[in-house]
């Protein structure tokens, strides 16, 4: 009886597949014409708009002030942008304003270092462990067995810059800026005032670089590496440009606007897992718990979150929480991710719901 039933159901399933393929065509041909945005572009727009309205009046947090320029940025600025892997753009609010990318740059220097040296070497020279401490902690450099900890805290990011090849600091910098521009799909530039403001006050980062030298965990001149790192943090992006940089990661390393492959496909999982583990510093565990998307924050007020295969959302709002993460950006992304069921750890993301 059981056998007969299973034979019958197999037969019925085969007929079903046949009818389905006649009706909708082969799956590959069908999926080509379908936007990867799920559950549909209109729904995404509606939810992002809802989140924008819900949180625009939120006054939590405070601008970063240890970089004097950042303290002066209008704390009411608020922009949200979504770019999908098929390059649909949806943007709301102050999305033309160019803010400093700050720590979000670290993600793309990690990508460039892997482009040049491969993931194994980067893992060996930098590592990928959470510190549980502030992003600029010298204690973490002393305490962590690798000292560098991971590429997304200041010490690990300065060491990552030191791995990038170039006979002079200028050559390295030009290469980094050119790489970021390819990821964004348009020419990015340095915000000179941010660079000057940070370069005049970055004694803590210089100390980190010398501490790394003590442990042999910096691979070029320490102060020169800090200077190139300070420049990369001072690159200007608007929310749409940042979302497109994220969409390049979501699109497996191919920029959705230019079609150019910028990052190797095999490097993407290493980048996204590092973002999940340390993208929001010592707020990363809470972020994984509530949102479940790889993301990266910067003290300029930006956060970009990646929905692999679908797209990226970038939010810019300067006031930060204690860990250095934009308060409004976290709220908006959490709201959107939960409403649209984007959490990578939710059963539905692997087709179980
Ligand atoms: N440039 C900043 C610094 O070095 C970056 C920190 C950040 O965005 N969290 O402190």
């Amino acid at each position: 009886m059981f056998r007969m039933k299973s034979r019958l159901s197999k037969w019925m399933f085969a007929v079903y597949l046949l009818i389905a393929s006649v009706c909708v065509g082969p799956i590959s041909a069908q999926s080509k014409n379908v936007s990867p945005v799920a559950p549909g572009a209109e729904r995404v727009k509606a939810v992002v708009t809802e989140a924008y309205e819900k949180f625009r009046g939120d006054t939590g947090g405070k601008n970063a002030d240890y970089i004097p320029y950042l303290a002066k940025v209008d704390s009411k600025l608020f922009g949200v942008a979504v770019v999908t892997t098929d390059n649909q753009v949806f943007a709301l609010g102050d999305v033309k304003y160019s803010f400093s990318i700050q720590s979000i740059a670290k993600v793309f220097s990690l990508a460039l270092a892997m482009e040049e040296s491969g993931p194994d070497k980067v893992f060996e020279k930098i590592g990928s462990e959470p510190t549980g401490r502030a992003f600029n902690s010298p204690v973490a450099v002393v305490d962590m067995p690798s000292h560098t900890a991971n590429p997304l805290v200041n010490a690990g990011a300065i060491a990552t810059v030191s791995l990038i090849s170039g006979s002079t600091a200028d050559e390295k910098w030009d290469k980094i800026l050119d790489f970021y521009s390819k990821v964004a799909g348009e020419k990015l530039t340095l915000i000179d005032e941010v660079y000057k403001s940070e370069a005049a006050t970055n004694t803590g980062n210089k100390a980190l670089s010398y501490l790394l030298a003590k442990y042999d965990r910096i691979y070029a001149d320490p102060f020169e590496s800090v200077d190139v790192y300070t420049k990369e943090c001072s690159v200007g992006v608007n929310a749409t440009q940042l979302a497109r940089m994220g969409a390049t990661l979501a699109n497996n390393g191919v920029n959705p606007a230019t079609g150019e492959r910028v990052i190797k496909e095999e490097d993407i999982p290493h980048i996204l897992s590092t973002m999940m583990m340390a993208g929001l510093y010592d707020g990363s565990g809470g972020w994984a718990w509530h949102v479940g998307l790889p993301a990266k924050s910067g003290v300029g007020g930006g956060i970009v979150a990646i929905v692999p295969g679908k797209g990226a959302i970038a939010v810019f709002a300067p006031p930060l929480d204690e860990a250095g993460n934009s308060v409004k950006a976290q709220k908006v992304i959490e709201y959107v991710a939960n409403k649209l069921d984007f959490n990578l750890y939710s059963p539905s993301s692997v087709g179980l719901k």
Side-chain angles (χ1 to χ4, degrees), residues 64 66-67 70 100-106 135-136 152-155 157-158 194 198 202 204-205 208 226 229-234 279 281 296-302 320 323-325:
Y66 74 98
I67 299 170
L70 297 180
S100 56
I101 190 169
Q102 293 297 341
S103 271
I104 306 166
K106 294 166 178 170
F135 61 79
N136 50 7
L152 303 184
V153 290
N154 289 13
I158 295 164
V194 176
E198 186 162 346
N202 62 358
N205 285 336
L208 293 178
V226 171
Y229 162 84
T230 307
K231 283 188 176 145
E232 75 176 31
C233 292
S234 308
Y281 311 112
K296 184 73 202 84
S297 62
V299 289
L320 311 178
N325 301 313

Side-chain angles (χ1 to χ4, degrees), residues 60-276:
K62 198 170 147 295
N63 282 30
D65 56 8
Y66 74 98
I67 299 170
Y69 177 99
L70 297 180
K72 291 186 293 175
V73 174
D74 180 357
S75 50
K76 289 199 193 65
L77 287 165
F78 182 33
V80 182
V82 171
V83 175
T84 65
T85 48
D86 63 347
N87 203 35
Q88 296 182 60
V89 180
F90 180 56
L92 264 176
D94 301 309
V95 289
K96 295 257 152 68
Y97 183 89
S98 191
F99 55 95
S100 56
I101 190 169
Q102 293 297 341
S103 271
I104 306 166
K106 294 166 178 170
V107 171
F108 304 102
S109 289
L110 164 64
L112 178 55
M114 280 201 283
E115 254 339 88
E116 285 192 353
S117 309
D120 291 346
K121 180 158 176 210
V122 173
F123 186 74
E124 179 208 321
K125 298 277 183 195
I126 311 293
S128 189
E129 296 301 337
T131 65
R133 293 189 181 270
F135 61 79
N136 50 7
S137 169
V139 177
V141 179
V142 176
D143 277 359
M144 297 293 292
S146 70
H147 307 292
T148 35
N150 69 66
L152 303 184
V153 290
N154 289 13
I158 295 164
T160 304
V161 166
S162 78
L163 271 184
I164 293 168
S165 68
S167 47
T168 62
D170 282 347
E171 200 179 305
K172 269 191 199 192
W173 163 238
D174 289 345
K175 191 194 279 182
I176 290 171
L177 188 60
D178 185 53
F179 184 75
Y180 290 5
S181 299
K182 283 188 182 142
V183 178
E186 57 191 288
K187 183 107 199 64
L188 300 178
T189 52
L190 181 86
I191 307 178
D192 204 46
E193 268 188 87
V194 176
Y195 168 64
K196 288 198 176 112
S197 180
E198 186 162 346
T201 51
N202 62 358
T203 46
N205 285 336
K206 286 181 181 144
L208 293 178
S209 74
Y210 256 75
L211 209 45
L212 288 171
K214 167 183 150 92
Y215 298 109
D216 256 339
R217 294 290 284 178
I218 189 152
Y219 312 104
D221 180 76
F223 280 7
E224 189 181 285
S225 303
V226 171
D227 190 51
V228 176
Y229 162 84
T230 307
K231 283 188 176 145
E232 75 176 31
C233 292
S234 308
V235 167
V237 284
N238 62 39
T240 309
Q241 288 167 331
L242 183 58
R244 191 169 281 104
M245 293 178 91
T248 298
L249 292 173
N251 200 30
N252 255 336
V254 175
N255 182 300
T258 63
E260 186 182 358
R261 167 158 302 284
V262 200
I263 301 170
K264 287 193 194 88
E265 193 168 343
E266 60 264 35
D267 293 343
I268 297 291
H270 303 302
I271 298 169
L272 297 185
S273 61
T274 309
M275 290 170 81
M276 184 63 93

Side-chain angles (χ1 to χ4, degrees), residues 268-330:
I268 297 291
H270 303 302
I271 298 169
L272 297 185
S273 61
T274 309
M275 290 170 81
M276 184 63 93
M277 186 266 306
L280 272 75
Y281 311 112
D282 40 334
S284 300
W287 178 261
W289 177 287
H290 292 292
V291 186
L293 287 177
K296 184 73 202 84
S297 62
V299 289
I303 299 187
V304 63
I306 317 302
V307 190
K310 296 195 173 91
I313 175 167
V315 182
F316 165 60
L320 311 178
D321 66 11
E322 288 291 303
N325 301 313
S326 166
V327 172
K328 275 214 274 262
Q330 289 178 83

